[in-house]
């Protein structure tokens, strides 16, 4: 009787250990996100993601910053997921809520902006875009600066996690991110 109970228990233990080994092996084969620093931000980018930063992109003012973080397809022709971040001077002294309300006009079928932690957020379909996908837009404004983030990820490839991993490297961007 003892032997008949021992054999199934041994079998269950072997399966448990084997499954644990497979899980550990799969986790070790999945590349971890790597931290990448830019001028104003640091982000954890999963395997395949890359980023590009441009300052002065609109008026030549160095306070302006555009950070594009994305995952391209295998041919490197099109994005599969994209996080576009814009930091601009708050020339009109807009509040986060007012700015989010104003930005909804640039998206089709935009939802009503809602307070979302440190940001005001809404969803919609950007009217002008190089990457055709609906977007989650997050906005925050201080008296001096504005942060607008447009997150597009139709396949759930980690764009929200990339945005959430952002760290400000300057006092202004830390304040805009609320971190």
């Amino acid at each position: 009787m003892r032997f008949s109970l021992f054999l199934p228990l041994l079998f269950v233990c072997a399966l448990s250990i084997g499954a644990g080994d497979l899980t550990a092996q799969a986790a070790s084969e999945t590349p971890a996100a790597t931290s990448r620093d830019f001028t104003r931000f640091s982000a954890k980018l999963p395997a395949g993601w890359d980023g590009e930063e441009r300052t002065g992109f609109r008026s030549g003012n160095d306070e302006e910053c555009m950070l594009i973080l994305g995952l391209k397809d295998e041919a490197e022709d099109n994005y599969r997921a994209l996080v576009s971040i814009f930091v601009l001077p708050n020339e009109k002294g807009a509040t986060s809520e007012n700015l989010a309300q104003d930005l909804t006009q640039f998206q089709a079928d935009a939802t009503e902006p809602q307070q979302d932690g440190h940001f005001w957020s809404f969803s919609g379909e950007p009217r002008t875009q190089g990457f055709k996908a609906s977007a989650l837009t997050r906005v925050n404004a201080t008296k001096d600066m504005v942060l607008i983030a447009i997150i597009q990820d139709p396949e759930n490839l980690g764009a929200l996690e990339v945005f959430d991993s952002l760290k400000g490297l300057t006092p202004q961007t830390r304040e805009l991110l609320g971190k």
Side-chain angles (χ1 to χ4, degrees):
M1 182 78 167
R2 286 185 195 164
F3 186 70
S4 63
L5 289 176
F6 178 72
L7 214 47
L9 183 59
L10 182 62
F11 183 69
V12 168
C13 287
L15 284 178
S16 298
I17 293 170
D21 287 344
L22 288 176
T23 303
Q25 182 180 357
S28 68
E29 290 175 3
T30 305
T34 58
S35 192
R36 174 124 181 247
D37 290 345
F38 299 91
T39 305
R40 292 177 176 87
F41 296 98
S42 176
K44 288 186 180 175
L45 301 179
W49 282 73
D50 201 3
E52 179 183 347
E53 180 181 44
R54 286 188 18 208
T55 57
F57 66 94
R58 191 177 57 138
S59 69
N61 180 344
D62 279 343
E63 287 185 323
E64 298 171 354
C65 173
M66 175 174 58
L67 178 61
I68 305 297
L69 305 170
L71 175 65
K72 289 193 173 183
D73 61 15
E74 287 184 23
E76 297 284 318
D77 293 331
N78 301 300
Y79 282 105
R80 295 180 62 202
L82 186 64
V83 178
S84 305
I85 300 159
F86 303 91
V87 175
L88 302 163
N90 191 353
E91 296 166 348
K92 296 180 181 180
T95 66
S96 303
E97 180 181 11
N98 291 345
L99 186 58
Q101 285 288 344
D102 289 346
L103 290 174
T104 61
Q105 68 182 316
F106 299 109
Q107 292 192 10
D109 300 321
T111 61
E112 188 66 28
Q114 301 282 324
Q115 181 94 39
D116 180 15
H118 198 68
F119 298 91
W120 279 82
S121 299
F122 64 94
S123 297
E125 185 79 29
R127 295 185 195 277
T128 57
Q129 58 181 331
F131 177 49
K132 300 283 185 199
S134 59
L136 168 65
T137 301
R138 290 185 170 163
V139 178
N140 188 29
T142 64
K143 68 180 181 81
D144 298 320
M145 301 299 289
V146 170
L147 181 139
I148 303 166
I150 303 169
I151 303 161
Q152 297 172 279
D153 191 358
E155 300 175 55
N156 287 330
L157 299 172
L160 276 173
E161 291 82 2
V162 168
F163 178 77
D164 289 342
S165 79
L166 283 175
K167 292 184 179 161
L169 298 179
T170 67
Q172 288 176 328
T173 55
R174 281 192 293 275
E175 183 178 8
L176 286 167
L177 289 171
K179 298 179 182 179

